[in-house]
Amino acid sequence: MLKIKNATITAGSKKIVDNVTFSVKEGEVLSLFGPNGSGKSTLIKAIIGLGSCSLDKGEVIFKGKEISHLSITERVKRGLGIMHQYPPKIRGVKLIQIAQFLCSDQQKIKVLAQKLALEDHLQRELNVNFSGGEMKRAELFQLILQDADFLLLDEPESGVDIENISIMGKVLDEYLKNSHKSAIIITHTGYILDYVNSEKGCVMFEGKLWCKGKPKEIFNSVRESGYEKCKGCQWQQKV
Amino acid sequence: MAAEGIDRHIDSQDKEKIAFSGMDFQEKERSATFFQKDAEVLLSRSLSGSVDILDIKEALANDSGARKYLGESFRLLGKEYPKNIEGGYFIRIKKGKTVELPIQACLFLKAQGFKQKVHNLVIVEEGAKVNLITGCSASRAAKEGFHLGISEFYVEKGAYLNFTMIHNFREDTSVKPMSVAVVKENGTFVSNYVCLKPVKEVVMYPTAIISGRNGRVSFNSLILSYPDSVQDIGSRIILNAEGGQGEIISRAVSVGGKIIARGHLKAGEKNTKGHLECRGLVLSEKGGIHAIPELETDLQDVDLSHEAAIGKINKEEIDYLCSRGMTASEAQSTIVRGFMDVNILALPEIIKNEIKKLEEKMLEDAF
């Protein structure tokens, strides 16, 4: 479904992502761990074409086609979707407007808004005065309505309380299971993994992928020994 | 119906254009109508016993009450005003009456190069409540027209006036409205201004004087500026009575024109409060916005504030909407339409949807 080949991303003279290669199959959910500033968000933004950091070297192959030259819109049309970590506030643009742009089925919008406790937010300006949890729920709401084939989830649970993680986790799990979608989930806390079935995980550290394995095992190992230990895996060299 | 009286003078194309300035020719949801073409008053008709609506000349000739008010607001400001006028409307809402349906007035430029000069006088008597829509428009034939509109609003004790003005001229029309409102004790004056169609030049700085305790004033405006146009538009509120509150909100978008967005809050009495908010978007390298917010007082016990923000559309917002599948152009249009939300206008519910539809059509033409 998605192949990243020898991807290198720099910002100014600084290398953020260094010669990274990996792939995600159809129906597979890849958990991406790593400390702050390791390049995780930069990588998934580059996959969908967001941000000022573009791919300097390498390839992004989605559904068999190289897409790194395409606009964000074109990549989205081909089936990529993203849940932003820090979505912007857009004054004057209501959540319902985006929902209706993404989905013509009013009933589907209503039901999903109920599930994500967003009924009262539909008429509000996008992310304006939303709490952290509301913002994340609104992101997931849009992403599911978008019905993308491949979901890029940038820290879905950061800044979200346990109750909201539970609401989101259940909705996300149900969606991924029923629709056989693929995804990359960036997570620091690992809470989302209590809800979502992810069989593959890897660690990004200093711009490289260092470790591959079962997400919960990686997460427990990181919790005990920190990220330094992951350097031993050298997974990126083997692909 | 108004259409019958106006038909002989206004063709269907012009009618369509006039409708964009809020005129309902069927008068289905209007309580009174005034229509002036160039210097000729074609219609002044009230459908409500609570509303007097007349050609200003007629009112001044026959009504001592009207004469008493004429020019008083300018005298309060110590300002002169042009006297060589030809027409305009006189509207009076009778004491204690609430007029449910809005009153409509249209000042229309038809002849090429015509210089329309009107003086409007609106009196909302004690405890009365009314909504007034004034549309100013120009025919496709009215090349290089000029419109000078002097307007005086008197909001008496406990009265309420919601005044919405829509400008829908031509790219070669020059417009210079001069307006003053006087708001008495517990009175409320709301002014909404919409200018989303091309115009050559607009210079206006309407002023409201709160002269009675707890008077309230709000000025709200939506301005879109096209290439080769200059719009010097401001609002001023003078808080001259305790408990007075004023608010000025403007949204300005330049797609190539020059906008000077002024605002002035002056507290001349203690325990008064005012806020000024000006936001602008510059969408073209050719255009520009110059915001000039002013707060003024010699007193301690006042609360005046302002916020102003001008710039281009945040790229992050465009990218965000693109990540939802919009094209960059769709994203820009969505953001601008949101920015120019009619909800920033304090429109009465009865005309909100109507004005929203008009705005959407006008913005469709622009984006």
Side-chain angles (χ1 to χ4, degrees):
Chain A
M1 183 69 122
L2 178 73
K3 279 185 186 171
I4 307 298
K5 281 188 179 175
N6 307 111
T8 295
I9 304 166
T10 54
S13 58
K14 194 181 176 191
K15 207 176 268 183
I16 308 291
V17 174
D18 185 7
N19 196 28
V20 160
T21 296
F22 68 97
S23 64
V24 181
K25 292 177 190 156
E26 193 174 343
E28 195 170 56
V29 177
L30 172 73
S31 298
L32 186 57
F33 303 100
N36 293 331
S38 59
K40 307 182 298 297
S41 293
T42 301
L43 176 64
I44 68 166
K45 281 181 182 172
I47 291 170
I48 201 166
L50 280 164
S52 53
C53 301
S54 58
L55 202 65
D56 295 322
K57 285 181 196 165
E59 292 175 291
V60 178
I61 298 162
F62 184 58
K63 295 180 179 174
K65 299 265 170 62
E66 216 293 314
I67 60 163
S68 61
H69 61 289
L70 297 178
S71 67
I72 303 167
T73 312
E74 283 300 321
R75 296 185 208 201
V76 171
K77 275 185 188 163
R78 291 183 187 216
L80 284 173
I82 187 165
M83 180 172 172
H84 296 254
Q85 186 184 4
Y86 302 114
K89 294 171 186 174
I90 307 186
R91 290 192 182 274
V93 178
K94 292 174 182 168
L95 180 59
I96 187 71
Q97 283 177 257
I98 307 300
Q100 287 170 341
F101 172 80
L102 295 169
C103 174
S104 55
D105 184 343
Q106 298 302 314
Q107 188 59 22
K108 189 176 173 184
I109 292 173
K110 194 179 164 189
V111 170
L112 187 60
Q114 277 170 350
K115 278 186 185 175
L116 287 166
L118 286 169
E119 294 149 289
D120 295 339
H121 298 72
L122 291 173
Q123 295 299 332
R124 284 173 58 180
E125 294 172 301
L126 201 60
N127 300 319
V128 176
N129 298 324
F130 279 24
S131 69
E134 290 166 342
M135 224 179 264
K136 296 289 182 177
R137 296 202 310 269
E139 281 296 294
L140 185 59
F141 175 64
Q142 294 172 67
L143 188 56
I144 292 177
L145 291 175
Q146 193 174 329
D147 201 24
D149 298 327
F150 197 106
L151 284 64
L152 301 161
L153 302 136
D154 195 352
E155 296 198 33
E157 79 275 61
S158 71
V160 182
D161 59 48
I162 297 291
E163 193 182 343
N164 275 307
I165 291 174
S166 168
I167 293 172
M168 285 171 43
K170 285 173 187 166
V171 171
L172 179 60
D173 182 48
E174 186 187 329
Y175 178 68
L176 290 171
K177 271 184 189 160
N178 293 344
S179 54
H180 203 62
K181 305 285 183 184
S182 313
I184 296 175
I185 302 180
I186 295 177
T187 176
H188 273 296
T189 64
Y191 291 143
I192 198 75
L193 301 177
D194 292 340
Y195 301 92
V196 174
N197 182 29
S198 172
E199 293 293 327
K200 186 171 157 184
C202 60
V203 171
M204 192 160 205
F205 190 40
E206 294 170 352
K208 293 183 180 185
L209 291 175
W210 293 100
C211 181
K212 184 173 81 168
K214 293 276 183 193
K216 288 210 168 176
E217 287 172 15
I218 294 175
F219 188 69
N220 289 335
S221 163
V222 168
R223 204 149 51 180
E224 281 177 21
S225 315
Y227 284 110
E228 282 292 334
K229 191 184 170 189
C230 298
K231 282 187 176 177
C233 288
Q234 297 277 323
W235 171 52
Q236 89 284 4
Q237 303 295 337
K238 298 176 192 170
V239 179
Chain B
M1 287 190 292
E4 292 163 13
I6 293 166
D7 270 352
R8 281 176 287 123
H9 300 271
I10 309 294
D11 64 28
S12 58
Q13 269 185 297
D14 279 345
K15 269 192 185 171
E16 200 177 318
K17 181 155 190 214
I18 292 163
F20 268 96
S21 55
M23 184 79 178
D24 172 10
F25 285 99
Q26 302 304 311
E27 295 182 287
K28 277 185 187 164
E29 295 204 335
R30 298 291 185 261
S31 60
T33 299
F34 177 90
F35 192 99
Q36 178 169 336
K37 176 189 71 112
D38 296 333
E40 186 182 0
V41 177
L42 299 182
L43 183 75
S44 61
R45 172 169 45 203
S46 174
L47 302 168
S48 161
S50 306
V51 179
D52 292 333
I53 187 162
L54 297 163
D55 178 341
I56 186 93
K57 280 183 206 157
E58 196 184 332
L60 293 174
N62 303 318
D63 192 320
S64 60
R67 283 195 296 275
K68 189 181 80 177
Y69 279 97
L70 189 81
E72 182 59 25
S73 63
F74 286 92
R75 279 190 286 279
L76 277 172
L77 286 176
K79 283 195 171 180
E80 287 296 316
Y81 60 94
K83 309 286 194 307
N84 56 336
I85 54 115
E86 291 177 302
Y89 52 76
F90 169 77
I91 295 171
R92 179 168 47 208
I93 315 304
K94 292 176 184 167
K95 187 177 175 180
K97 299 293 181 185
T98 296
V99 181
E100 299 291 347
L101 297 176
I103 297 169
Q104 62 180 353
C106 178
L107 299 159
F108 185 60
L109 284 170
K110 176 73 177 170
Q112 186 172 340
F114 190 80
K115 291 183 168 43
Q116 186 179 55
K117 296 173 186 173
V118 300
H119 193 134
N120 307 312
L121 185 55
V122 179
I123 301 160
V124 188
E125 292 185 345
E126 187 177 335
K129 292 179 171 55
V130 70
N131 302 305
L132 167 62
I133 307 172
T134 292
C136 301
S137 190
S139 166
R140 65 195 185 286
K143 288 179 186 166
E144 296 175 351
F146 173 81
H147 169 82
L148 167 68
I150 300 157
S151 298
E152 295 185 78
F153 304 96
Y154 294 92
V155 181
E156 295 294 339
K157 197 173 169 182
Y160 173 90
L161 171 60
N162 189 306
F163 172 68
T164 299
M165 182 160 73
I166 301 173
H167 276 173
N168 180 17
F169 287 107
R170 289 170 45 100
E171 63 282 1
D172 54 6
T173 310
S174 295
V175 188
K176 292 189 178 170
M178 293 174 71
S179 304
V180 184
V182 179
V183 181
K184 303 278 177 63
E185 189 178 336
N186 291 317
T188 300
F189 174 62
V190 177
S191 167
N192 300 305
Y193 173 63
V194 179
C195 183
L196 302 175
K197 287 289 193 181
V199 64
K200 183 183 175 188
E201 183 187 19
V202 181
V203 179
M204 59 188 261
Y205 210 153
T207 297
I209 309 160
I210 297 177
S211 63
R213 287 171 70 90
N214 301 321
R216 288 171 180 237
V217 171
S218 87
F219 280 105
N220 313 293
S221 51
L222 295 176
I223 303 154
L224 181 58
S225 185
Y226 295 80
D228 303 319
S229 68
V230 177
Q231 283 147 291
D232 186 343
I233 295 171
S235 307
R236 177 182 287 122
I237 302 173
I238 300 173
L239 300 133
N240 272 353
E242 273 198 64
Q245 289 189 30
E247 185 176 55
I248 298 170
I249 297 176
S250 72
R251 296 282 186 276
V253 174
S254 169
V255 290
K258 174 78 177 171
I259 299 171
I260 302 169
R262 299 177 194 270
H264 184 193
L265 291 168
K266 182 176 179 181
E269 187 54 81
K270 63 181 181 179
N271 296 326
T272 50
K273 191 174 178 180
H275 182 68
L276 194 161
E277 178 189 310
C278 169
R279 293 182 190 275
L281 282 180
V282 181
L283 302 183
S284 160
E285 286 181 11
K286 202 178 166 196
I289 300 175
H290 182 179
I292 309 174
E294 290 183 75
L295 307 178
E296 183 185 352
T297 191
D298 295 326
L299 303 165
Q300 285 182 320
D301 298 328
V302 299
D303 178 1
L304 301 180
S305 59
H306 81 79
E307 52 184 310
I310 290 170
K312 60 182 181 180
I313 295 178
N314 190 342
K315 186 176 182 296
E316 194 193 0
E317 292 177 18
I318 299 269
D319 283 354
Y320 179 85
L321 294 178
C322 287
S323 79
R324 297 289 174 241
M326 290 186 190
T327 62
S329 157
E330 283 170 335
Q332 174 172 301
S333 170
T334 301
I335 291 166
V336 173
R337 283 165 195 236
F339 183 81
M340 301 289 264
D341 187 357
V342 292
N343 286 318
I344 76 128
L345 304 174
L347 292 168
E349 283 303 319
I350 195 163
I351 61 167
K352 192 179 270 184
N353 278 341
E354 192 180 323
I355 302 294
K356 193 169 185 174
K357 280 180 194 161
L358 288 177
E359 191 212 23
E360 278 169 8
K361 282 181 191 167
M362 287 191 257
L363 287 177
E364 263 171 34
D365 293 344
F367 298 97

